Amino acid sequence: MLVLYTLTRFFKRWVPQYLSSYKTLFTILWIIAFVSVFIYQTNSIYQNNSGLPILITRPVPNLRPVVFNLTDFGAVGDGVTVNTAAFEKAVLEISKHGGGQLNVGPGKWLTAPFNLTSCMTLFLNSGAQILAIEDENYWPLMPPLPSYGYGREHPGPRYGSLIHGQNLTDVVITGYNGTINGQGKSWWNKHRQKLLKHTRGPLIQIMWSRDIVISDITLRDSPFWTIHPYDCKNVTIKNLTILAPVYEAPNTDGIDPDSCEDMLIENCYISVGDDAVAIKSGWDQFGIAYGRPSTNIVIRNLVVRSVVRTSLCPVIMNLQVVEVFWRDLRNLYVPKWSVSLLGVVSAGISIGSEMSGGVSNIMVDNLLVWNSRRGIRIKTAPGRGGYIKNITYNNLTFDNVRVGVVIQTDYSEHPDEGFDPKALPTVRNIVFNGVHGQGLRVPVRIHGSKEIPLRNITFKDLSVGITYKKKHIFQCSFVQGRVIGKIFPAPCENLDQYDEQGRLVKRSTSQNITDTDDDS
């Protein structure tokens, strides 16, 4: 029903104004392709005469030479029996064989966190649900990530992930749209009540590994970030549905590539309690010392939603799919673990703010962001160091998004007072090509500073419907760049203007003009 609602809303509001557009056919074909993913993921569900769903089990493909079923190791899928030992025995047996496939059949398989092994496929059949134990005492503690220092929410150890792996090669998590459910509600409640002593764990975290594929499953209700690949190479994430509820789901990012190289994210629906995708590479002096960038990442064909609320004033959004706490601290040192009651603002696709190892060569293509606070966000601050460069956004569609594009250089959250305020990041070579939409209050807010000026920022083919009738809604400060061709609304005076053939029409003489506000 969610997909049907989304598509109905999209066509009712968008098709009339785009029938004359040269992109009409492309847009329709993209929507059809995206719907086909959901048809594939749900084509094993039918209804009987009473209208109740009947599960039609498809044969599970043998993707490895050696195949095991979870029930071979004594697992019981009743939602009550704890199956941690069964998962551990199965993974150990696969490791002894040098690799293999573990099939998880229909049922509710309750478990504590467990580790994967190399050359392994975890296959979730239709109707399979892996359920996380809610009691944090069953979750192991791990050292802080080396590029984050003291921990993201609390100093010291952090909780591990439900499904974890380190130093692995050739790992696949896939299926016929089975579900991995983090049962995060108890974690979110304890986080708000400040009852947790350690940073919450992700749903899936793979570290120092390569050749990873996660596809064709549903992930929901993570205690913290949902998928967190850390210092990995050659990662593919595709055909996923990632969900968190509207109420009380803080920091449930969808996919957070962190110091990763050569990565593809495609054909996903993400509706979560924070950023749908957030590219990271370490935090302040710890990330600078670790020195691993996120680079060569392609993100394409995503539909995302990132709803906003404040912790002091709950807001019910019209679909009640996700919830976001908003986080927007400026020009002060506040440790992350001390701000759980402050506001947060999320976005569809973010870079940073933890980007101290550098972020480069990122391509975002065919993105629909709807009913969200912000569409695209790049965030950094003095003390981060590192760089954000060579970033390209193509074919962005914003539907009822308050602020379309944000670049922010004063996102001042720091792990401790040991950060170096003279470690200034660089932000340059960023292209926005094809930005369309309706219901935007502020299409663009790019906020550089005297310390961190923005360089070579390009806009081409931008035309959006606006709801905020004030004079300056294309907002800039300390930015050098250009506009190619005609765009709507009119660009800020900081940018050079070129015609469609790339010929200079007007040179800006006021790159350091400041025309931004915080009403976002």
Side-chain angles (χ1 to χ4, degrees):
M1 293 300 295
L2 174 61
V3 178
L4 181 60
Y5 174 91
T6 304
L7 294 177
T8 302
R9 180 185 177 90
F10 183 86
F11 278 105
K12 285 177 63 178
R13 299 181 64 178
W14 285 84
V15 169
Q17 63 179 298
Y18 281 130
L19 283 177
S20 61
S21 169
Y22 69 92
K23 291 187 176 180
T24 301
L25 179 60
F26 176 80
T27 301
I28 293 174
L29 290 176
W30 176 56
I31 293 295
I32 292 172
F34 185 80
V35 171
S36 69
V37 173
F38 286 86
I39 294 174
Y40 162 75
Q41 291 184 333
T42 58
N43 67 2
S44 61
I45 303 295
Y46 298 87
Q47 290 185 338
N48 59 20
N49 293 333
S50 64
L52 297 175
I54 300 175
L55 187 66
I56 307 300
T57 303
R58 289 180 284 173
V60 175
N62 293 336
L63 305 176
R64 304 278 184 179
V66 179
V67 178
F68 299 98
N69 296 315
L70 186 61
T71 52
D72 297 340
F73 302 91
V76 179
D78 58 5
V80 177
T81 304
V82 178
N83 296 292
T84 313
F87 277 105
E88 291 174 342
K89 291 177 182 177
V91 173
L92 179 60
E93 192 66 24
I94 288 173
S95 179
K96 289 179 180 178
H97 283 78
Q101 176 173 326
L102 177 60
N103 295 329
V104 181
K108 296 181 178 180
W109 310 94
L110 185 67
T111 181
F114 62 92
N115 294 320
L116 303 179
T117 189
S118 291
C119 303
M120 175 179 177
T121 295
L122 178 64
F123 192 97
L124 281 69
N125 205 343
S126 302
Q129 297 186 52
I130 296 178
L131 303 179
I133 287 180
E134 298 177 67
D135 186 349
E136 69 271 16
N137 293 311
Y138 284 87
W139 291 60
L141 292 177
M142 303 181 66
L145 293 168
S147 59
Y148 287 79
Y150 293 111
R152 198 61 186 89
E153 294 182 314
H154 296 272
R158 61 191 175 92
Y159 290 105
S161 58
L162 176 64
I163 297 178
H164 192 80
Q166 294 184 193
N167 302 302
L168 303 181
T169 301
D170 184 16
V171 173
V172 178
I173 303 174
T174 188
Y176 288 150
N177 200 33
T179 299
I180 302 174
N181 188 335
Q183 302 203 113
K185 183 176 180 180
S186 63
W187 291 90
W188 309 328
N189 291 338
K190 291 174 183 177
H191 171 71
R192 286 195 314 276
Q193 297 167 16
K194 297 187 176 181
L195 298 177
L196 297 173
K197 298 180 180 179
H198 308 286
T199 299
R200 290 168 289 159
L203 191 63
I204 299 174
Q205 184 177 64
I206 309 294
M207 305 172 61
W208 304 303
S209 300
R210 63 179 303 131
D211 304 331
I212 309 300
V213 177
I214 304 175
S215 70
D216 301 294
I217 58 174
T218 294
L219 306 173
R220 64 181 311 132
D221 296 353
S222 176
F224 193 52
W225 302 340
T226 305
I227 303 178
H228 185 216
Y230 181 82
D231 198 352
C232 291
K233 294 183 178 181
N234 193 22
V235 179
T236 298
I237 297 175
K238 62 182 181 179
N239 302 339
L240 298 185
T241 302
I242 303 177
L243 303 172
V246 172
Y247 290 114
E248 314 305 343
N251 311 112
T252 49
D253 295 12
I255 304 169
D256 285 6
D258 202 335
S259 296
C260 287
E261 181 178 353
D262 300 334
M263 185 168 179
L264 172 64
I265 301 171
E266 66 177 354
N267 302 333
C268 297
Y269 179 86
I270 305 174
S271 181
V272 289
D274 209 323
D275 299 327
V277 177
I279 301 173
K280 306 174 182 290
S281 66
W283 200 12
D284 285 3
Q285 69 270 32
F286 303 105
I288 294 172
Y290 193 70
R292 303 285 199 282
S294 279
T295 187
N296 300 338
I297 298 175
V298 174
I299 301 169
R300 63 193 182 199
N301 304 336
L302 267 59
V303 175
V304 303
R305 186 186 186 208
S306 181
V307 183
V308 169
R309 69 177 287 278
T310 66
S311 57
L312 299 178
C313 182
V315 176
I316 301 177
M317 306 306 286
N318 61 348
L319 255 187
Q320 299 188 358
V321 178
V322 292
E323 171 192 338
V324 170
F325 285 87
W326 50 285
R327 173 177 71 244
D328 197 4
L329 304 175
R330 304 175 190 271
N331 301 321
L332 73 163
Y333 158 65
V334 183
K336 175 67 175 181
W337 49 82
S338 69
V339 300
S340 60
L341 296 182
L342 297 179
V344 225
V345 178
S346 63
I349 306 292
S350 287
I351 296 176
S353 72
E354 311 95 320
M355 41 62 63
S356 301
V359 176
S360 66
N361 300 339
I362 309 298
M363 172 75 76
V364 178
D365 195 11
N366 283 354
L367 172 71
L368 169 62
V369 184
W370 65 288
N371 276 24
S372 299
R373 183 79 173 196
R374 295 181 176 183
I376 297 295
R377 192 181 197 191
I378 296 172
K379 46 189 179 178
T380 186
R384 290 291 191 269
Y387 53 82
I388 299 173
K389 64 181 182 179
N390 304 337
I391 316 295
T392 302
Y393 300 92
N394 292 320
N395 303 322
L396 307 180
T397 301
F398 301 139
D399 182 11
N400 192 26
V401 175
R402 187 179 179 94
V403 184
V405 172
V406 178
I407 303 177
Q408 179 181 352
T409 58
D410 59 354
Y411 197 86
S412 298
E413 293 179 355
H414 303 285
D416 61 22
E417 293 177 329
F419 75 97
D420 179 5
K422 296 181 180 179
L424 301 176
T426 61
V427 181
R428 66 182 187 273
N429 303 343
I430 301 173
V431 177
F432 298 91
N433 180 20
V435 181
H436 302 278
Q438 65 171 9
L440 279 80
R441 183 179 177 90
V442 177
V444 175
R445 178 180 291 122
I446 45 179
H447 184 193
S449 66
K450 186 176 181 179
E451 291 180 302
I452 310 172
L454 309 177
R455 293 288 178 256
N456 197 22
I457 312 299
T458 300
F459 289 90
K460 181 180 180 181
D461 186 21
L462 183 151
S463 179
V464 297
I466 56 176
T467 62
Y468 195 26
K469 304 300 183 182
K470 78 171 192 175
K471 184 175 180 181
H472 299 295
I473 55 175
F474 195 121
Q475 302 179 5
C476 304
S477 67
F478 290 92
V479 57
Q480 173 271 322
R482 61 180 180 167
V483 170
I484 300 176
K486 294 182 179 180
I487 67 172
F488 181 84
C492 59
E493 297 179 7
N494 308 59
L495 303 174
D496 299 333
Q497 295 186 32
Y498 289 75
D499 63 18
E500 294 286 355
Q501 287 71 43
R503 296 172 298 203
L504 179 64
V505 175
K506 180 182 179 181
R507 178 79 68 185
S508 171
T509 58
S510 49
Q511 295 174 359
N512 295 337
I513 279 181
T514 297
D515 181 21
T516 62
D517 60 48
D518 292 331
D519 181 23
S520 57

